Amino acid sequence: MAFRHKHILGTEFLSREDIELILDTAESFKEINSREIKKVPILRGKTIINLFFEASTRTRTSFEIAGKRLSADTVNISASSSSVVKGETLEDTAKNLEAMKPDIVVMRHSASGAPHYLAERIQSSVINAGDGAHEHPSQALLDLLTIREHKGTLEGLTVAIIGDITHSRVARSNLYAMQKMGMKVRLAGPGTMVPPGIEKLGAEVHTDMREAIRGADVVMMLRIQLERQGKTMLPTLREYAQFFGLNTENLKLAKEDAIVLHPGPMNRGVEISSYVADGPQNVILEQVENGVAVRMALLYLVAGGEAKE
Amino acid sequence: MANIETVILDRAGIGRALTRIAHEILERNKGTSGVVLVGIRTGGDHLASQLRARIAEIEGEEVSLGAVDVTMYRDDLGTRGSLPMGKTEIPFPLDGRRVVLVDDVLYTGRTIRAAMDALIDLGRPRSIQLAVLIDRGHRELPIRADYVGRNVPTSHEEQIHVQFDEDLQPIEVRLIKP
């Protein structure tokens, strides 16, 4: 089956077949990451610009390594060093990038929809590496790969996603993707952090995290995004930890073989206790490892262009 | 438009060709010492396991068997787009080994070029030899096979199809004329 997307803007626009192809491709690429010479020539001569308007270490490094392992030339532009701080509009930034003829632009931006805006204005492929509180497709796909590796399948699994759903692009991308793969998604968080109407997207919404975790195959903890919080949303971090933090006690409610995911960076002692974060059920570093393979798959698949007959 | 299909090699014919190739591999390498088989996906990997079984019958020794997917080493991403990527599984070191690459059909030689690049990224074999079931000519690179099941002169418009059954046993080779 051929991949027909020029851009990866969100899991909302991917079909179940697309997601399966991405995960299978990522699995094939994983082998490269354990070689002594971690490089294959398939994207030789392609230029990838990592355009990051928001701070990111993991995602940016992961995309950069993914590009380099496929032999593409990767260039990083971050907000602090870019012309954005000098007052350039996104439209002008887009046109200037365009003039340098990159093949793929990987973009992170604090505004939802910014990658879509860029995709309409430049010839290159655009991959969304996180836009505001909207989507973070590569994160959801690496989560699915990690879950599939542990559970063998995705169909029929129950996933509990706990934390700040409102501000979480990880939760939204996962919600779209997981339902397409036949998984059941439960969401839980403080009332101020669960957007009204989210159940219309198909999720089961809980106010008590224990109800969400009970019998789940997968527990995904979201990071409390301290930088995005107004003071009013959270009384204290200690209270949050008490009601919405994952610890060895409430994790017992999940299935015995449940796995624990976290997109990082973790706030230890807030949304996840160190006992769980370092415990036998955590797969957090596997997520990071799979992130490189998934991003290699995305870069490879969009680089081939829209399928020609 | 009906294509004209001719069976150019049947099950027995394929079997005899593979048996001969197995003997030739053993003769050339003076036994199985250091010999490993690596099949090119998909098709070559099935034939490689057939060859391994025959070598075991003749010599009583199992040689290591691997499979290589050359998609990551293709040179036609721009024209053919992103093809589905298979897995490369070579669970043994290649350093110092005599690698016999196995493919079903040898045509332009570009797949073999890609496979050799893939192998060399994984290690430093002592030598790389090439075994193919069908050599249909039209090379675009300076590559030749060391072991050939059958030479079949073809035109560019024709296709060669090697058919396998569910157990991945080769059934027949067909020449398809448009």
Side-chain angles (χ1 to χ4, degrees):
Chain A
M1 196 200 79
F3 193 73
R4 293 183 179 277
H5 300 275
K6 182 179 179 188
H7 310 292
I8 306 282
L9 299 175
T11 55
E12 187 183 356
F13 308 111
L14 297 174
S15 68
R16 182 181 177 128
E17 289 70 33
D18 291 332
I19 293 171
E20 274 166 1
L21 178 66
I22 293 166
L23 299 186
D24 291 346
T25 307
E27 256 182 9
S28 297
F29 276 130
K30 254 189 107 163
E31 172 256 333
I32 297 169
N33 298 327
S34 54
R35 290 186 189 176
E36 201 169 328
I37 302 171
K38 301 175 184 60
K39 210 176 187 67
V40 295
I42 190 72
L43 294 192
R44 203 175 38 176
K46 302 278 181 192
T47 304
I48 301 173
I49 295 183
N50 288 326
L51 181 61
F52 277 63
F53 291 101
E54 256 190 351
S56 162
T57 310
R58 193 181 337 259
T59 306
R60 204 211 57 202
T61 310
S62 184
F63 267 111
E64 188 178 354
I65 290 178
K68 285 188 187 330
R69 290 201 176 151
L70 298 176
S71 301
D73 297 303
T74 58
V75 181
N76 294 317
I77 304 176
S78 57
S80 56
S81 61
S82 76
S83 46
V84 184
V85 289
K86 300 174 189 161
E88 190 174 67
T89 64
L90 187 54
E91 172 106 47
D92 283 333
T93 306
K95 283 182 185 156
N96 278 278
L97 287 179
E98 173 87 280
M100 292 183 250
K101 311 266 183 282
D103 297 282
I104 303 171
V105 176
V106 178
M107 185 195 204
R108 168 167 289 190
H109 200 284
S110 58
S112 300
H116 309 65
Y117 181 91
L118 193 71
E120 284 170 10
R121 281 162 182 77
I122 63 174
Q123 294 293 312
S124 334
S125 290
V126 175
I127 297 180
N128 180 1
D131 61 330
H134 180 222
E135 279 230 40
H136 190 354
S138 63
Q139 178 70 42
L141 292 162
L142 72 87
D143 291 338
L144 290 179
L145 181 61
T146 309
I147 296 167
R148 195 173 79 169
E149 280 178 355
H150 277 269
K151 301 292 175 192
T153 176
L154 296 173
E155 183 82 48
L157 296 180
T158 300
V159 185
I161 304 180
I162 317 287
D164 182 357
I165 310 296
T166 304
H167 293 94
S168 178
R169 51 197 178 205
V170 177
R172 234 167 301 274
S173 283
N174 264 307
L175 181 57
Y176 289 127
M178 287 173 167
Q179 294 190 105
K180 284 175 185 168
M181 304 314 287
M183 301 162 81
K184 203 166 131 192
V185 182
R186 299 174 183 164
L187 303 173
T192 49
M193 294 182 173
V194 177
I198 188 95
E199 64 279 356
K200 287 187 190 130
L201 292 178
E204 212 177 273
V205 179
H206 294 268
T207 46
D208 183 347
M209 92 177 265
R210 288 170 303 181
E211 290 313 309
I213 294 179
R214 201 180 299 280
D217 299 283
V218 178
V219 181
M220 180 181 294
M221 300 309 296
L222 300 175
R223 188 171 71 90
I224 281 298
Q225 303 185 41
L226 299 165
E227 73 278 11
R228 281 189 223 274
Q229 302 296 341
K231 288 271 183 229
T232 51
M233 291 200 133
L234 269 185
T236 67
L237 290 179
R238 193 186 289 177
E239 185 183 319
Y240 183 85
Q242 195 180 339
F243 289 104
F244 292 98
L246 188 66
N247 52 49
T248 44
E249 275 312 302
N250 53 24
L251 182 55
K252 283 182 190 151
L253 296 169
K255 283 202 182 135
E256 210 174 322
D257 63 349
I259 52 171
V260 175
L261 284 78
H262 191 297
M266 289 184 279
N267 297 304
R268 285 173 183 264
V270 185
E271 69 266 7
I272 188 164
S273 79
S274 278
Y275 293 105
V276 175
D278 303 323
Q281 286 166 280
N282 102 79
V283 294
I284 297 165
L285 292 177
E286 288 171 48
Q287 289 175 271
V288 180
E289 185 188 341
N290 284 336
V292 175
V294 159
R295 288 168 181 127
M296 287 166 87
L298 293 177
L299 293 172
Y300 165 69
L301 290 170
V302 299
E306 285 163 290
K308 301 170 191 87
E309 284 310 312
Chain B
M1 290 267 272
N3 291 333
I4 305 161
E5 299 199 3
T6 331
V7 175
I8 51 175
L9 216 49
D10 59 9
R11 193 188 280 267
I14 296 171
R16 283 191 283 269
L18 290 174
T19 303
R20 175 173 52 77
I21 291 173
H23 279 287
E24 287 174 359
I25 290 171
L26 290 169
E27 190 180 4
R28 160 91 72 103
N29 295 288
K30 301 182 179 67
T32 56
S33 173
V35 174
V36 300
L37 299 176
V38 175
I40 298 177
R41 289 198 199 280
T42 52
D45 49 347
H46 311 328
L47 294 173
S49 77
Q50 295 288 321
L51 278 176
R52 177 162 85 154
R54 282 174 166 76
I55 288 173
E57 266 171 43
I58 301 161
E59 208 77 350
E61 279 183 62
E62 294 248 301
V63 297
S64 299
L65 177 67
V68 64
D69 185 280
V70 301
T71 315
M72 294 170 198
Y73 293 84
R74 284 167 45 219
D75 57 6
D76 55 358
L77 181 70
T79 47
R80 290 184 67 197
S82 307
L83 298 179
M85 180 104 29
K87 282 202 181 69
T88 291
E89 284 167 314
I90 302 183
F92 46 82
L94 291 175
D95 291 357
R97 302 297 190 90
R98 301 164 196 262
V99 178
V100 180
L101 261 181
V102 183
D103 204 359
D104 49 4
V105 180
L106 177 59
Y107 185 22
T108 62
R110 288 178 190 269
T111 302
I112 305 303
R113 191 280 306 161
M116 288 194 290
D117 282 350
L119 291 181
I120 286 163
D121 271 2
L122 293 169
R124 189 176 187 283
R126 172 168 176 178
S127 62
I128 299 178
Q129 303 162 23
L130 176 60
V132 298
L133 183 57
I134 303 291
D135 182 349
R136 61 171 292 191
H138 302 290
R139 218 75 76 241
E140 294 169 5
L141 296 171
I143 282 170
R144 58 158 182 78
D146 300 274
Y147 315 101
V148 180
R150 164 88 55 102
N151 283 295
V152 182
T154 58
S155 72
H156 276 298
E157 289 69 39
E158 290 166 332
Q159 288 177 17
I160 299 270
H161 186 73
V162 181
Q163 179 88 40
F164 294 89
D165 64 15
E166 300 94 57
D167 301 326
L168 308 177
Q169 304 271 342
I171 303 172
E172 60 184 24
V173 181
R174 291 196 302 272
L175 176 68
I176 303 165
K177 291 179 200 270

